[in-house]
């Protein structure tokens, strides 16, 4: 079982709630995959209390733990204020901390990220930082109070899958006792399975499910892939070999010539 | 008075933040508020006086990844 900030999670899948064809399909996708958490955001209320109300009613009915994010924030100050507002609105001190450094690539601003992580940890937040695979940044996030790290494997929404498996493996190896969640860039269930096989504790994804032809089926596929990847990691996989090794016993073979 | 609410200029009669939320027909429980970049908690909205030109952010739950 995976435990983060003292809470044992029911699943190794975190699911985003954006971009689904309808709130009903989001709800069906969540039920099909049973994620540990659903990520949500805060946005400007424009319609007399009706903005996103259908979505919010559906999410509350699901009864799944929520992980609010600070998506779209481009400075530590913005992210800190957004986190404070999220804590009140959603009733949780868990926060997916995003401080975006570049409009087009949506790369983390790691300087603002560390600054915001330190401030929010001091305020009692349980920070889930959206970061890179940079080991130095990771160390500073841990020093700032984070007890989990969420490196990207490719740009948000790109569906490219792991772009630098070696970097992910290095991070896993360097922080054997820190929960690691791949957040952003996953496109296919095989991508999720790959990072779980490498010992990552969980994945966080959104577009790969919401953008599929059948989001409900894809949510289920990702849930199965995550379970399979974890089971493979725990079961001890073979390392690749350069030469063939016969699987059928060679002892006792007949001689015909 | 004139305020900037969620980035748009608006003429309102409310003089306190809690009254503004009601005037705009928002559900108090499901919005979070900030004035001039600083969060104002729900239980302090009644004590928060607004002044001309204040920038008010009113946020609600939304889809997110």
């Amino acid at each position: 079982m995976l435990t983060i900030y003292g809470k044992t999670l029911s699943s190794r899948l975190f699911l985003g709630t954006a971009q689904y064809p309808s709130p009903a399909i989001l709800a069906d996708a969540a039920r099909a995959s049973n994620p540990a958490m659903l990520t949500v955001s805060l946005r400007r209320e424009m319609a007399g209390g009706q903005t996103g109300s259908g979505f919010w009613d559906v999410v509350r009915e699901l009864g799944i733990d929520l992980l609010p994010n600070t998506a779209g924030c481009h400075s530590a100050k913005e992210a800190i204020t957004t986190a404070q507002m999220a804590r009140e609105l959603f009733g949780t001190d868990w926060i997916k901390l995003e401080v975006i450094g570049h409009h087009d690539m949506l790369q983390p601003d790691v300087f603002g990220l560390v600054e915001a992580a330190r401030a929010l940890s001091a305020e009692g937040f349980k920070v889930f930082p959206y970061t890179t695979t940079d080991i130095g940044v990771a160390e500073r996030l841990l020093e700032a109070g984070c007890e989990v790290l969420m490196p990207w494997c490719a740009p948000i929404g790109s569906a490219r899958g792991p772009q630098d498996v070696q970097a992910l493996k290095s991070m896993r190896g360097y922080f054997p006792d820190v929960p690691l969640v791949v957040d952003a860039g996953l496109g296919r269930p095989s991508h999720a399975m790959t990072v779980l096989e490498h010992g990552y504790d969980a994945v966080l994804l959104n577009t790969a499910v919401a953008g599929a032809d059948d989001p409900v089926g894809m949510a289920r596929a990702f849930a199965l892939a995550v379970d399979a990847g974890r089971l493979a990691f725990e079961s001890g996989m073979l390392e690749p070999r350069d030469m063939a090794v016969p699987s059928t016993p060679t002892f006792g073979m007949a001689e015909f010539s | 008075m004139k305020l900037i609410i969620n980035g748009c200029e608006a003429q309102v009669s409310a003089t306190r933040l809690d009254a503004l939320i009601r005037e705009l027909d928002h559900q108090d429980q499901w919005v979070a508020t900030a004035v001039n970049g600083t969060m104002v908690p729900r239980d302090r909205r009644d004590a928060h006086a607004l002044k001309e030109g204040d920038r008010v952010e009113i946020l609600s739950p939304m889809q997110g990844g």
Side-chain angles (χ1 to χ4, degrees):
Chain A
M1 297 295 276
L2 173 59
T3 300
I4 304 178
Y5 288 115
K7 183 178 177 68
T8 300
L9 302 178
S10 58
S11 159
R12 295 177 181 274
L13 178 68
F14 301 172
L15 188 63
T17 58
Q19 303 178 352
Y20 291 80
S22 71
I25 291 175
L26 159 63
D28 288 344
R31 292 190 192 100
S33 55
N34 290 312
M37 288 187 285
L38 292 172
T39 53
V40 291
S41 71
L42 298 85
R43 285 295 180 266
R44 286 171 165 176
E45 179 59 76
M46 290 298 205
Q50 296 308 302
T51 303
S53 60
F55 153 79
W56 183 226
D57 290 345
V58 161
V59 164
R60 276 188 293 161
E61 285 172 12
L62 286 168
I64 298 170
D65 287 339
L66 299 179
L67 180 63
N69 69 28
T70 63
C73 292
H74 286 259
S75 71
K77 184 180 187 304
E78 283 181 4
I80 291 165
T81 301
T82 301
Q84 292 166 339
M85 296 170 84
R87 177 159 60 178
E88 177 179 75
L89 197 55
F90 295 108
T92 178
D93 53 11
W94 289 31
I95 191 76
K96 175 184 165 180
L97 181 60
E98 297 183 49
V99 183
I100 299 300
H102 192 276
H103 282 282
D104 294 327
M105 295 306 291
L106 300 180
Q107 289 162 314
D109 169 5
V110 296
F111 307 99
L113 181 68
V114 172
E115 180 186 344
R118 183 174 293 111
L120 291 171
S121 296
E123 291 184 25
F125 282 88
K126 310 293 191 296
V127 176
F128 289 66
Y130 160 65
T131 184
T132 68
T133 51
D134 187 294
I135 299 293
V137 172
E139 284 184 327
R140 282 159 179 78
L141 287 168
L142 296 174
E143 290 166 4
C146 297
E147 295 182 14
V148 56
L149 298 168
M150 300 211 300
W152 68 347
C153 74
I156 293 171
S158 70
R160 288 189 209 157
Q163 298 293 279
D164 189 345
V165 171
Q166 190 53 55
L168 290 169
K169 288 170 71 175
S170 296
M171 195 172 196
R172 177 70 287 175
Y174 199 82
F175 301 108
D177 301 320
V178 177
L180 298 180
V181 181
V182 166
D183 172 20
L186 296 165
R188 300 179 177 208
S190 56
H191 297 157
M193 189 183 294
T194 295
V195 299
L196 267 290
E197 285 177 358
H198 286 305
Y200 273 70
D201 295 286
V203 293
L204 194 162
L205 54 108
N206 189 159
T207 310
V209 168
D213 290 345
D214 174 9
V216 180
M218 191 59 71
R220 183 75 185 127
F222 268 99
L224 292 168
V226 166
D227 286 346
R230 181 63 188 183
L231 184 57
F233 171 72
E234 291 174 344
S235 301
M237 292 165 289
L238 291 180
E239 289 303 314
R241 295 163 170 162
D242 291 333
M243 304 298 286
V245 180
S247 51
T248 303
T250 54
F251 177 78
M253 287 187 63
E255 294 184 13
F256 298 111
S257 59
Chain B
M1 75 177 85
K2 188 182 288 183
L3 301 174
I4 310 295
I5 302 173
N6 286 347
C8 301
E9 275 194 8
Q11 192 73 34
V12 301
S13 55
T15 58
R16 293 192 324 275
L17 188 55
D18 63 330
L20 177 66
I21 298 301
R22 287 194 297 273
E23 182 175 335
L24 298 175
D25 203 25
H26 294 316
Q27 294 182 54
D28 183 70
Q29 183 186 359
W30 295 126
V31 294
T33 50
V35 178
N36 299 327
T38 301
M39 181 198 175
V40 180
R42 189 178 297 123
D43 60 5
R44 293 189 210 155
R45 288 177 194 157
D46 58 348
H48 193 99
L50 297 168
K51 62 183 186 301
E52 189 80 17
D54 273 350
R55 292 176 295 106
V56 182
E57 291 287 336
I58 303 170
L59 306 185
S60 61
M62 196 59 60
Q63 297 92 332

